[in-house]
């Protein structure tokens, strides 16, 4: 599933967006939704892969269904996305590249004004228990980002 999320990130980049992808899977491993970043093409700074996926999923599934699902994402959810995941009540998050690893690639690129705030810390501040697994396959998850960002020295 992680490799599929990374492929969605590559698709986002090919479409002119930031290279992030996410999918939602049931407990038995069936993928029920996927979404890519649409920040550039939708002209919407909130169009992250995870927020797009949460919006789609919350319209299709009830809270108890979401609590039993896993969101798999090519990169660790940022603070905004972690908040959306918390509000949706998705039970598990699995991510590839860590936020800190991404920050190391993007540097001062104004297109990624990230908050250096791990998703585990955001989730810990909430009242819902969200299991987090990651980072996983970080080298593979870095691939869609290579040559995309313009970090300053």
């Amino acid at each position: 599933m992680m490799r599929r999320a990374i492929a969605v990130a590559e698709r986002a980049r090919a479409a002119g967006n930031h290279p992030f992808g996410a999918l939602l899977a049931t407990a038995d491993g069936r993928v029920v939704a996927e979404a890519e970043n649409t920040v550039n093409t939708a002209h919407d700074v909130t169009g992250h892969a995870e927020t797009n996926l949460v919006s789609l999923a919350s319209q299709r599934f009830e809270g108890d269904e979401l609590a039993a699902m896993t969101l798999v994402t090519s990169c660790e959810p940022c603070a905004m996305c972690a908040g959306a995941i918390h509000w949706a009540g998705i039970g598990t998050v699995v991510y590839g590249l860590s936020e800190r690893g991404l920050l190391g690639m993007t540097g001062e690129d104004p297109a990624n004004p990230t908050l250096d705030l791990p998703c585990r810390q955001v989730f810990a501040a909430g009242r819902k228990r969200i299991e987090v697994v990651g980072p996983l396959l970080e080298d593979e998850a870095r691939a869609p980002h290579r040559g995309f960002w313009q970090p300053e020295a």
Side-chain angles (χ1 to χ4, degrees):
M1 280 192 271
M2 180 58 66
R3 287 187 174 102
R4 182 168 170 177
I6 293 167
V8 174
E10 291 168 344
R11 193 170 68 220
R13 181 176 177 167
N17 288 298
H18 299 170
F20 300 96
L23 58 87
L24 189 65
T26 60
D28 63 359
R30 184 172 46 94
V31 175
V32 294
E34 61 181 41
E36 60 190 57
N37 180 290
T38 57
V39 166
N40 292 337
T41 56
H43 305 285
D44 179 0
V45 297
T46 67
H48 291 196
E50 299 90 343
T51 54
N52 288 339
L53 185 64
V54 165
S55 180
L56 174 70
S58 64
Q59 293 173 44
R60 290 180 52 196
F61 302 102
E62 298 298 322
D64 60 333
E65 293 174 294
L66 291 171
M69 292 188 186
T70 298
L71 187 150
V72 180
T73 180
S74 61
C75 290
E76 181 175 3
C78 71
M80 175 184 70
C81 292
I85 292 164
H86 167 78
W87 284 108
I90 294 169
T92 303
V93 171
V94 178
Y95 69 86
L97 180 62
S98 69
E99 183 78 1
R100 182 113 344 129
L102 176 64
L103 183 59
M105 294 185 80
T106 63
E108 298 298 320
D109 190 319
N112 188 47
T114 191
L115 299 171
D116 187 7
L117 184 62
C119 70
R120 284 177 174 91
Q121 191 173 343
V122 175
F123 295 143
R127 297 205 251 159
K128 298 176 183 177
R129 185 185 175 286
I130 299 171
E131 181 182 355
V132 179
V133 179
L136 299 174
L137 302 176
E138 275 198 290
D139 288 338
E140 291 181 45
R142 277 187 184 89
H145 297 273
R146 289 194 180 99
F148 183 83
W149 306 101
Q150 306 301 316
E152 293 181 13

